Amino acid sequence: MKRIAVIGAQWGDEGKGKIVNYFARDYKWVIRFSGGANAGHTIYIKGKKYVNHLLPSIDPHSDSKGFLSSGMVIDLEEMLKEVEKMESDFPGIGKRFYIDPEAFITLPWHREQDLLLENMRKKPIGTTGKGIGPTYTDKVSREGLKIYMLQDEGTLFEKLEELYTLKIALFGDKFSMNPKEIFDYLIELRDKLLKLGVNLASSIELMANFKENSLLFEGAQGVMLDLDFGTYPFVTSSTCTAHGVISAGFSTAELDGVFGVIKAYTTRVGSGVFPTEEHASIADIIRERGAEFGATTGRPRRVGWLDLPAIRYAKARSALTHLIVTKGDVLNGLDEIKVCVAYEIDGAERRTPVVSRDLFKAKPVYRTVRGWNSVKDKEFEDYIKLIEEETELSVSYVSYGPGTEEVFER
Ligand code: IMP
Ligand code: MG
């Protein structure tokens, strides 16, 4: 397949980074189309662990390139850290990254505002504190800073002064850097990134290249955290569905496949509704075995059972064509496994939520299935078949460990 998207079909952390890394060698471009440094994509390259937040998960050993599209919000400080770390192991890799000048910049002010807002909220969202919400807020309210402004220092400084005036009027004198300090900070980061060879190029400039080559669109977070269709307001501030590929100049109709990555169970980090959440000690066991701690914040993830209505919902919202199941091995050795096959909503049984509000009212209807000792066992295959029957999607790949090679195709 020449053009595919790999997205999370739950609440994020499904193992997309690893899957993308597995596919990446066969794709010329890996394109991130939404989110920012809130994402945590853990990949292992030759046994060494890399946790990237912003950089597309390109395979360093191939000649693939990474594009950060206009739908993203870019924290230049974080970006520099990641490029420097990759550069120390793979010299020259910096030149393989391209940022769309239309993308927005996350400033230290945005990170500070994220925390200020969380502290003021009656019901905190449990954000990653990376300034994502405030950056997108400034974008929508037309106060944002675009990457291309880094190329015009006069305008950049003027914009920063304007933004600062507004921010202190709204939040008081609570920010650690003044416009001049932020300006110097941005210019220094810009220069360092450019020195490492990072490119600025829009999707229009790259389109001829995109059309000729294979593209892998790498989603961030998961459909249930999508700003429009997720469990609002406990969501992130960007699109998590495959439709976000529009920001790189494509529509989902131009893709050969949209792969929804799901774990064999469910996790969620942060607050908000989670119908199949498990509170018994089995959740602690799964959390420990599955290393279910946030890749960005280190927070313990909430753990629960596989939620098929939520996956049917993700399929409908994000044009999924295939599923990829990860972490079935984490459940090895359990006698019985619960699977949510439907919801009870307002006293009636429903297979698929039709509006995000349904998730808030849902009581899971469980089926109990036999566990397995290994993902090679018949019981695990039965589990996969159950997922296929219940979602009417084929499970094309199964991942059974963190290493890039620990995947089989079905
Ligand atoms: P924000 O994206 O930092 O604003 O956080 C909003 C919500 O999305 C919180 O519940 C976060 O825990 C969640 N979130 C953001 N990024 C990720 C991710 O990469 N994986 C899982 N949850 C995430
Ligand atoms: Mg993650």
Side-chain angles (χ1 to χ4, degrees), residues 189-404:
L189 289 165
R190 175 198 72 185
D191 291 347
K192 285 186 171 163
L193 283 164
L194 293 178
K195 204 164 162 224
L196 287 168
V198 172
N199 308 275
L200 301 186
S202 81
S203 59
I204 295 181
E205 290 172 278
L206 294 171
M207 191 47 78
N209 192 323
F210 286 167
K211 288 260 160 85
E212 264 168 36
N213 288 297
S214 51
L215 312 178
L216 196 175
F217 291 95
E218 175 179 22
Q221 293 86 37
V223 176
M224 306 312 283
L225 287 173
D226 179 78
L227 175 62
D228 291 300
F229 299 129
T231 49
Y232 190 90
F234 302 99
V235 293
T236 190
S237 303
S238 60
T239 180
C240 304
T241 74
H243 302 292
V245 303
I246 189 79
S247 75
F250 287 88
S251 88
T252 48
E254 293 172 281
L255 305 181
D256 301 312
V258 178
F259 290 82
V261 185
I262 59 169
K263 270 196 279 227
Y265 48 95
T266 311
T267 62
R268 162 161 215 173
V269 57
S271 322
V273 63
F274 180 1
T276 63
E277 182 166 16
E278 176 62 62
H279 296 285
S281 59
I282 182 72
D284 301 323
I285 296 172
I286 296 173
R287 182 179 305 108
E288 288 300 324
R289 277 207 215 155
E292 297 296 354
F293 297 89
T296 301
T297 57
R299 291 178 290 178
R301 295 176 184 145
R302 297 155 65 196
V303 173
W305 303 105
L306 185 65
D307 184 340
L308 292 167
I311 292 165
R312 292 183 200 114
Y313 180 79
K315 174 188 172 185
R317 290 297 195 197
S318 185
L320 300 186
T321 60
H322 304 75
L323 291 175
I324 296 175
V325 177
T326 68
K327 294 185 116 171
D329 54 297
V330 171
L331 304 181
N332 284 355
L334 300 185
D335 291 335
E336 290 184 332
I337 287 163
K338 292 206 293 185
V339 188
C340 171
V341 289
Y343 289 156
E344 190 194 305
I345 296 171
D346 298 332
E349 199 168 302
R350 279 242 297 277
R351 281 172 60 79
T352 311
V354 292
V355 52
S356 59
R357 177 168 177 247
D358 288 343
L359 273 288
F360 288 81
K361 304 197 236 164
K363 291 199 194 82
V365 177
Y366 285 114
R367 187 182 301 172
T368 302
V369 300
R370 292 190 51 192
W372 52 85
N373 288 316
S374 143
V375 294
K376 302 274 173 341
D377 292 352
K378 181 184 171 294
E379 288 78 8
F380 182 69
E381 179 60 22
D382 289 344
Y383 190 70
I384 298 291
K385 284 195 182 126
L386 174 74
I387 296 173
E388 292 186 316
E389 276 158 27
E390 292 284 333
T391 59
E392 295 177 52
L393 286 171
S394 62
V395 172
S396 316
Y397 294 87
V398 170
S399 157
Y400 56 91
T404 306

Side-chain angles (χ1 to χ4, degrees), residues 32-38 69-74 104-106 110 131-144 221 227 236-239:
R32 268 278 305 266
F33 54 84
S34 65
N38 50 349
S69 89
S70 63
M72 288 189 71
V73 290
I74 318 271
F104 284 82
I105 305 173
T106 294
H110 293 125
I132 305 302
T135 313
Y136 281 112
T137 302
D138 281 355
K139 164 179 173 170
V140 172
S141 67
R142 286 138 310 160
E143 257 79 55
Q221 293 86 37
L227 175 62
T236 190
S237 303
S238 60
T239 180

